[in-house]
Amino acid sequence: MENLVTLANFRTAAEAETAGGLLEQSEIPYLIQSMEGAGMIGLQGGANLLVRPDQWELAREVLDLDAEDPDTGD
């Protein structure tokens, strides 16, 4: 998967995986970006859930997230 945008940031990879499961049920491909499990203790930033730009809006609806444009931050 190329040209992905951040859909949301979660405190842990487990939270991102739970959200990813909802996306999977809606047949929306996603990627989780996290350093958890890489031997990093107390890592800041949690886990990012990434999707294709053309599925960003639908994914936000599936997860019931407040809309914010990935390109402008609005």
Side-chain angles (χ1 to χ4, degrees), residues 28-62:
I28 299 172
Y30 66 92
L31 179 71
I32 296 174
Q33 183 181 50
S34 173
M35 290 298 292
E36 276 186 37
M40 304 283 216
I41 298 175
L43 180 69
Q44 298 289 325
N48 291 320
L49 187 60
L50 309 169
V51 296
R52 292 188 336 231
D54 64 321
Q55 298 211 305
W56 182 86
E57 193 170 322
L58 177 59
R60 300 285 294 185
E61 289 176 19
V62 167

Side-chain angles (χ1 to χ4, degrees), residues 6-27:
T6 300
L7 177 66
N9 180 271
F10 296 88
R11 291 183 316 140
T12 67
E15 291 174 354
E17 289 171 11
T18 299
L22 295 172
L23 296 179
E24 188 171 332
Q25 289 176 359
S26 297
E27 298 182 1

